């Protein structure tokens, strides 16, 4: 006669409970589950992520601008004769000019990244204001909605 509360049965039950908990937590991480079951938490996370991204992109742009200013100052010092690189140094007027051009391109890309981050934040806020919920079903592919 088998015992109902054997060690193996207890371990199986605990594993099933852990698997169920993992599936539930995973479902709550999806937009389908989160928007219906925990909408406030979903929108808080979405807006928080958008705000953090915008802040990081702004800081990155600030660092790039400071770097660009430092390189430009060094180039002006080199041209005016205030700064003389050591013999054999990799710093030259050509290298500083290339660095200025590279910094300009990088800063322009950083400005675009910042604009995209702000757009992401605004989308998250609009979704929250509209109370958007993602459905569990999918629309058939290739069919246009009226």
């Amino acid at each position: 006669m088998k015992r109902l509360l054997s060690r193996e049965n207890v371990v199986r039950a605990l594993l099933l409970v852990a698997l169920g908990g993992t599936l539930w937590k995973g479902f709550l991480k999806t937009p389908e589950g989160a928007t219906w079951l925990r909408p406030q938490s979903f929108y808080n996370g979405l807006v928080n992520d958008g705000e953090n991204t915008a802040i990081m992109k702004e800081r990155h742009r600030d660092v790039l601008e400071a770097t660009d200013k430092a390189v430009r100052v060094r180039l002006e010092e080199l041209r005016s004769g205030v700064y003389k690189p050591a013999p054999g140094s990799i710093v030259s007027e050509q290298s500083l000019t290339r660095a200025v051009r590279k910094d300009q391109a990088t800063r322009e890309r950083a400005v675009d990244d910042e604009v995209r981050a702000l757009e992401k934040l605004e989308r998250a806020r609009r979704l929250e204001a509209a109370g958007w919920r993602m459905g569990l079903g999918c629309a058939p592919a290739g069919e246009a909605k009226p």
Side-chain angles (χ1 to χ4, degrees):
M1 186 164 155
K2 286 189 166 185
R3 292 185 315 162
L4 185 61
L5 285 175
S6 68
R7 182 177 179 185
E8 292 83 19
N9 286 342
V10 170
V11 170
R12 284 184 186 125
L14 289 174
L15 286 174
L16 285 174
V17 168
L19 179 62
T22 302
L23 289 172
W24 179 252
K25 292 291 269 180
F27 179 67
L28 288 179
K29 299 272 185 202
T30 65
E32 293 88 349
T35 56
W36 286 99
L37 300 173
R38 298 180 61 190
Q40 193 59 41
S41 174
F42 174 76
Y43 291 122
N44 286 345
L46 206 59
V47 170
N48 189 35
D49 181 50
E51 289 172 346
N52 287 340
T53 302
I55 289 167
M56 287 182 348
K57 297 300 180 183
E58 183 180 349
R59 286 181 181 167
H60 182 66
R61 182 184 46 82
D62 290 344
V63 168
L64 290 173
E65 285 179 0
T67 302
D68 185 48
K69 286 178 185 176
V71 171
R72 288 177 190 273
V73 166
R74 182 59 65 161
L75 180 61
E76 288 304 314
E77 289 174 347
L78 181 72
R79 287 179 176 162
S80 68
V82 173
Y83 171 71
K84 300 237 188 261
S89 173
I90 60 172
V91 176
S92 67
E93 186 171 353
Q94 286 179 328
S95 68
L96 291 172
T97 305
R98 280 193 310 270
V100 167
R101 283 196 312 265
K102 178 187 166 279
D103 286 345
Q104 179 65 31
T106 305
R107 282 187 323 135
E108 288 174 10
R109 188 172 58 243
V111 169
D112 290 343
D113 289 345
E114 188 177 356
V115 168
R116 279 194 305 277
L118 291 173
E119 288 171 353
K120 174 183 177 180
L121 176 59
E122 287 306 312
R123 275 193 309 274
R125 288 183 175 153
R126 282 194 310 268
L127 285 175
E128 181 179 22
W132 174 80
R133 304 279 192 265
M134 184 171 216
L136 293 176
C138 295
E143 293 185 20
K145 291 185 178 181

PDB file of all heavy atoms in Angstrom, residues 18-38:
ATOM      1  N   ALA A  18       5.690  25.331  -7.886  1.00  0.00           N
ATOM      2  CA  ALA A  18       6.728  26.247  -8.389  1.00  0.00           C
ATOM      3  C   ALA A  18       6.547  26.495  -9.881  1.00  0.00           C
ATOM      4  O   ALA A  18       6.680  27.630 -10.346  1.00  0.00           O
ATOM      5  CB  ALA A  18       8.118  25.669  -8.112  1.00  0.00           C
ATOM      6  N   LEU A  19       6.234  25.446 -10.645  1.00  0.00           N
ATOM      7  CA  LEU A  19       5.994  25.620 -12.077  1.00  0.00           C
ATOM      8  C   LEU A  19       4.779  26.497 -12.324  1.00  0.00           C
ATOM      9  O   LEU A  19       4.809  27.383 -13.180  1.00  0.00           O
ATOM     10  CB  LEU A  19       5.818  24.256 -12.748  1.00  0.00           C
ATOM     11  CG  LEU A  19       5.543  24.270 -14.247  1.00  0.00           C
ATOM     12  CD1 LEU A  19       6.710  24.902 -14.991  1.00  0.00           C
ATOM     13  CD2 LEU A  19       5.279  22.867 -14.751  1.00  0.00           C
ATOM     14  N   GLY A  20       3.719  26.276 -11.572  1.00  0.00           N
ATOM     15  CA  GLY A  20       2.522  27.118 -11.704  1.00  0.00           C
ATOM     16  C   GLY A  20       2.822  28.575 -11.379  1.00  0.00           C
ATOM     17  O   GLY A  20       2.370  29.486 -12.070  1.00  0.00           O
ATOM     18  N   GLY A  21       3.588  28.806 -10.316  1.00  0.00           N
ATOM     19  CA  GLY A  21       3.968  30.174  -9.961  1.00  0.00           C
ATOM     20  C   GLY A  21       4.817  30.829 -11.034  1.00  0.00           C
ATOM     21  O   GLY A  21       4.648  32.012 -11.350  1.00  0.00           O
ATOM     22  N   THR A  22       5.730  30.071 -11.610  1.00  0.00           N
ATOM     23  CA  THR A  22       6.576  30.598 -12.693  1.00  0.00           C
ATOM     24  C   THR A  22       5.735  30.964 -13.910  1.00  0.00           C
ATOM     25  O   THR A  22       5.929  32.024 -14.514  1.00  0.00           O
ATOM     26  CB  THR A  22       7.648  29.558 -13.077  1.00  0.00           C
ATOM     27  OG1 THR A  22       8.428  29.257 -11.925  1.00  0.00           O
ATOM     28  CG2 THR A  22       8.542  30.070 -14.187  1.00  0.00           C
ATOM     29  N   LEU A  23       4.800  30.097 -14.264  1.00  0.00           N
ATOM     30  CA  LEU A  23       3.916  30.390 -15.397  1.00  0.00           C
ATOM     31  C   LEU A  23       3.063  31.625 -15.129  1.00  0.00           C
ATOM     32  O   LEU A  23       2.886  32.473 -16.007  1.00  0.00           O
ATOM     33  CB  LEU A  23       3.024  29.185 -15.709  1.00  0.00           C
ATOM     34  CG  LEU A  23       3.719  27.979 -16.324  1.00  0.00           C
ATOM     35  CD1 LEU A  23       2.776  26.795 -16.406  1.00  0.00           C
ATOM     36  CD2 LEU A  23       4.267  28.324 -17.693  1.00  0.00           C
ATOM     37  N   TRP A  24       2.548  31.738 -13.909  1.00  0.00           N
ATOM     38  CA  TRP A  24       1.714  32.895 -13.561  1.00  0.00           C
ATOM     39  C   TRP A  24       2.531  34.187 -13.621  1.00  0.00           C
ATOM     40  O   TRP A  24       2.079  35.183 -14.196  1.00  0.00           O
ATOM     41  CB  TRP A  24       1.114  32.700 -12.171  1.00  0.00           C
ATOM     42  CG  TRP A  24       0.274  33.848 -11.723  1.00  0.00           C
ATOM     43  CD1 TRP A  24       0.581  34.764 -10.776  1.00  0.00           C
ATOM     44  CD2 TRP A  24      -1.017  34.201 -12.233  1.00  0.00           C
ATOM     45  NE1 TRP A  24      -0.424  35.671 -10.651  1.00  0.00           N
ATOM     46  CE2 TRP A  24      -1.431  35.356 -11.546  1.00  0.00           C
ATOM     47  CE3 TRP A  24      -1.856  33.664 -13.198  1.00  0.00           C
ATOM     48  CZ2 TRP A  24      -2.638  35.978 -11.779  1.00  0.00           C
ATOM     49  CZ3 TRP A  24      -3.061  34.284 -13.436  1.00  0.00           C
ATOM     50  CH2 TRP A  24      -3.453  35.433 -12.739  1.00  0.00           C
ATOM     51  N   LYS A  25       3.708  34.181 -13.006  1.00  0.00           N
ATOM     52  CA  LYS A  25       4.554  35.388 -13.035  1.00  0.00           C
ATOM     53  C   LYS A  25       4.957  35.737 -14.464  1.00  0.00           C
ATOM     54  O   LYS A  25       5.005  36.910 -14.828  1.00  0.00           O
ATOM     55  CB  LYS A  25       5.802  35.182 -12.174  1.00  0.00           C
ATOM     56  CG  LYS A  25       5.550  35.069 -10.692  1.00  0.00           C
ATOM     57  CD  LYS A  25       5.093  36.350 -10.103  1.00  0.00           C
ATOM     58  CE  LYS A  25       6.287  37.127  -9.626  1.00  0.00           C
ATOM     59  NZ  LYS A  25       5.942  38.393  -9.027  1.00  0.00           N
ATOM     60  N   GLY A  26       5.247  34.722 -15.271  1.00  0.00           N
ATOM     61  CA  GLY A  26       5.588  34.967 -16.667  1.00  0.00           C
ATOM     62  C   GLY A  26       4.423  35.562 -17.433  1.00  0.00           C
ATOM     63  O   GLY A  26       4.587  36.470 -18.253  1.00  0.00           O
ATOM     64  N   PHE A  27       3.217  35.059 -17.181  1.00  0.00           N
ATOM     65  CA  PHE A  27       2.025  35.600 -17.849  1.00  0.00           C
ATOM     66  C   PHE A  27       1.797  37.051 -17.460  1.00  0.00           C
ATOM     67  O   PHE A  27       1.406  37.873 -18.287  1.00  0.00           O
ATOM     68  CB  PHE A  27       0.796  34.750 -17.504  1.00  0.00           C
ATOM     69  CG  PHE A  27      -0.470  35.242 -18.136  1.00  0.00           C
ATOM     70  CD1 PHE A  27      -0.638  35.200 -19.513  1.00  0.00           C
ATOM     71  CD2 PHE A  27      -1.490  35.759 -17.359  1.00  0.00           C
ATOM     72  CE1 PHE A  27      -1.798  35.653 -20.108  1.00  0.00           C
ATOM     73  CE2 PHE A  27      -2.658  36.215 -17.937  1.00  0.00           C
ATOM     74  CZ  PHE A  27      -2.818  36.161 -19.320  1.00  0.00           C
ATOM     75  N   LEU A  28       2.074  37.393 -16.205  1.00  0.00           N
ATOM     76  CA  LEU A  28       1.903  38.783 -15.767  1.00  0.00           C
ATOM     77  C   LEU A  28       2.942  39.717 -16.379  1.00  0.00           C
ATOM     78  O   LEU A  28       2.767  40.932 -16.346  1.00  0.00           O
ATOM     79  CB  LEU A  28       1.953  38.868 -14.238  1.00  0.00           C
ATOM     80  CG  LEU A  28       0.741  38.305 -13.508  1.00  0.00           C
ATOM     81  CD1 LEU A  28       0.942  38.430 -12.002  1.00  0.00           C
ATOM     82  CD2 LEU A  28      -0.531  39.003 -13.929  1.00  0.00           C
ATOM     83  N   LYS A  29       4.022  39.169 -16.931  1.00  0.00           N
ATOM     84  CA  LYS A  29       5.041  40.000 -17.593  1.00  0.00           C
ATOM     85  C   LYS A  29       4.652  40.317 -19.040  1.00  0.00           C
ATOM     86  O   LYS A  29       5.242  41.201 -19.654  1.00  0.00           O
ATOM     87  CB  LYS A  29       6.400  39.300 -17.594  1.00  0.00           C
ATOM     88  CG  LYS A  29       6.949  39.021 -16.231  1.00  0.00           C
ATOM     89  CD  LYS A  29       7.727  40.166 -15.726  1.00  0.00           C
ATOM     90  CE  LYS A  29       8.350  39.782 -14.395  1.00  0.00           C
ATOM     91  NZ  LYS A  29       8.665  40.933 -13.624  1.00  0.00           N
ATOM     92  N   THR A  30       3.696  39.599 -19.593  1.00  0.00           N
ATOM     93  CA  THR A  30       3.276  39.843 -20.973  1.00  0.00           C
ATOM     94  C   THR A  30       2.279  40.991 -21.003  1.00  0.00           C
ATOM     95  O   THR A  30       1.544  41.217 -20.030  1.00  0.00           O
ATOM     96  CB  THR A  30       2.624  38.592 -21.587  1.00  0.00           C
ATOM     97  OG1 THR A  30       1.414  38.301 -20.879  1.00  0.00           O
ATOM     98  CG2 THR A  30       3.566  37.396 -21.548  1.00  0.00           C
ATOM     99  N   PRO A  31       2.202  41.734 -22.107  1.00  0.00           N
ATOM    100  CA  PRO A  31       1.208  42.806 -22.198  1.00  0.00           C
ATOM    101  C   PRO A  31      -0.224  42.281 -22.086  1.00  0.00           C
ATOM    102  O   PRO A  31      -1.088  42.958 -21.547  1.00  0.00           O
ATOM    103  CB  PRO A  31       1.455  43.428 -23.574  1.00  0.00           C
ATOM    104  CG  PRO A  31       2.807  42.998 -23.972  1.00  0.00           C
ATOM    105  CD  PRO A  31       3.089  41.715 -23.266  1.00  0.00           C
ATOM    106  N   GLU A  32      -0.474  41.066 -22.577  1.00  0.00           N
ATOM    107  CA  GLU A  32      -1.814  40.500 -22.511  1.00  0.00           C
ATOM    108  C   GLU A  32      -2.262  40.314 -21.069  1.00  0.00           C
ATOM    109  O   GLU A  32      -3.383  40.655 -20.705  1.00  0.00           O
ATOM    110  CB  GLU A  32      -1.872  39.155 -23.243  1.00  0.00           C
ATOM    111  CG  GLU A  32      -1.675  39.235 -24.727  1.00  0.00           C
ATOM    112  CD  GLU A  32      -0.215  39.154 -25.153  1.00  0.00           C
ATOM    113  OE1 GLU A  32       0.679  39.247 -24.278  1.00  0.00           O
ATOM    114  OE2 GLU A  32       0.032  39.013 -26.350  1.00  0.00           O
ATOM    115  N   GLY A  33      -1.390  39.768 -20.248  1.00  0.00           N
ATOM    116  CA  GLY A  33      -1.736  39.527 -18.854  1.00  0.00           C
ATOM    117  C   GLY A  33      -1.661  40.779 -18.004  1.00  0.00           C
ATOM    118  O   GLY A  33      -2.538  41.040 -17.176  1.00  0.00           O
ATOM    119  N   ALA A  34      -0.627  41.558 -18.193  1.00  0.00           N
ATOM    120  CA  ALA A  34      -0.400  42.724 -17.344  1.00  0.00           C
ATOM    121  C   ALA A  34      -1.452  43.804 -17.543  1.00  0.00           C
ATOM    122  O   ALA A  34      -1.884  44.434 -16.570  1.00  0.00           O
ATOM    123  CB  ALA A  34       0.986  43.299 -17.595  1.00  0.00           C
ATOM    124  N   THR A  35      -1.881  44.034 -18.786  1.00  0.00           N
ATOM    125  CA  THR A  35      -2.851  45.114 -19.012  1.00  0.00           C
ATOM    126  C   THR A  35      -4.220  44.779 -18.448  1.00  0.00           C
ATOM    127  O   THR A  35      -4.986  45.681 -18.116  1.00  0.00           O
ATOM    128  CB  THR A  35      -2.985  45.455 -20.511  1.00  0.00           C
ATOM    129  OG1 THR A  35      -3.328  44.282 -21.235  1.00  0.00           O
ATOM    130  CG2 THR A  35      -1.705  46.062 -21.041  1.00  0.00           C
ATOM    131  N   TRP A  36      -4.534  43.506 -18.331  1.00  0.00           N
ATOM    132  CA  TRP A  36      -5.843  43.116 -17.799  1.00  0.00           C
ATOM    133  C   TRP A  36      -5.806  42.864 -16.301  1.00  0.00           C
ATOM    134  O   TRP A  36      -6.764  43.200 -15.594  1.00  0.00           O
ATOM    135  CB  TRP A  36      -6.375  41.877 -18.515  1.00  0.00           C
ATOM    136  CG  TRP A  36      -6.857  42.199 -19.883  1.00  0.00           C
ATOM    137  CD1 TRP A  36      -6.183  42.008 -21.045  1.00  0.00           C
ATOM    138  CD2 TRP A  36      -8.099  42.805 -20.234  1.00  0.00           C
ATOM    139  NE1 TRP A  36      -6.919  42.459 -22.106  1.00  0.00           N
ATOM    140  CE2 TRP A  36      -8.117  42.957 -21.633  1.00  0.00           C
ATOM    141  CE3 TRP A  36      -9.200  43.243 -19.510  1.00  0.00           C
ATOM    142  CZ2 TRP A  36      -9.180  43.514 -22.322  1.00  0.00           C
ATOM    143  CZ3 TRP A  36     -10.265  43.800 -20.196  1.00  0.00           C
ATOM    144  CH2 TRP A  36     -10.251  43.933 -21.582  1.00  0.00           C
ATOM    145  N   LEU A  37      -4.758  42.248 -15.799  1.00  0.00           N
ATOM    146  CA  LEU A  37      -4.736  41.831 -14.396  1.00  0.00           C
ATOM    147  C   LEU A  37      -4.044  42.828 -13.467  1.00  0.00           C
ATOM    148  O   LEU A  37      -4.388  42.926 -12.300  1.00  0.00           O
ATOM    149  CB  LEU A  37      -4.073  40.455 -14.280  1.00  0.00           C
ATOM    150  CG  LEU A  37      -4.781  39.345 -15.062  1.00  0.00           C
ATOM    151  CD1 LEU A  37      -3.963  38.069 -15.017  1.00  0.00           C
ATOM    152  CD2 LEU A  37      -6.174  39.111 -14.501  1.00  0.00           C
ATOM    153  N   ARG A  38      -3.036  43.533 -13.984  1.00  0.00           N
ATOM    154  CA  ARG A  38      -2.309  44.513 -13.169  1.00  0.00           C
ATOM    155  C   ARG A  38      -1.990  45.742 -14.005  1.00  0.00           C
ATOM    156  O   ARG A  38      -0.829  46.070 -14.235  1.00  0.00           O
ATOM    157  CB  ARG A  38      -1.022  43.886 -12.642  1.00  0.00           C
ATOM    158  CG  ARG A  38      -1.295  42.685 -11.726  1.00  0.00           C
ATOM    159  CD  ARG A  38      -0.055  42.069 -11.197  1.00  0.00           C
ATOM    160  NE  ARG A  38       0.661  43.061 -10.401  1.00  0.00           N
ATOM    161  CZ  ARG A  38       1.886  42.891  -9.961  1.00  0.00           C
ATOM    162  NH1 ARG A  38       2.527  41.797 -10.220  1.00  0.00           N
ATOM    163  NH2 ARG A  38       2.478  43.809  -9.247  1.00  0.00           N
TER     164      ARG A  38
END
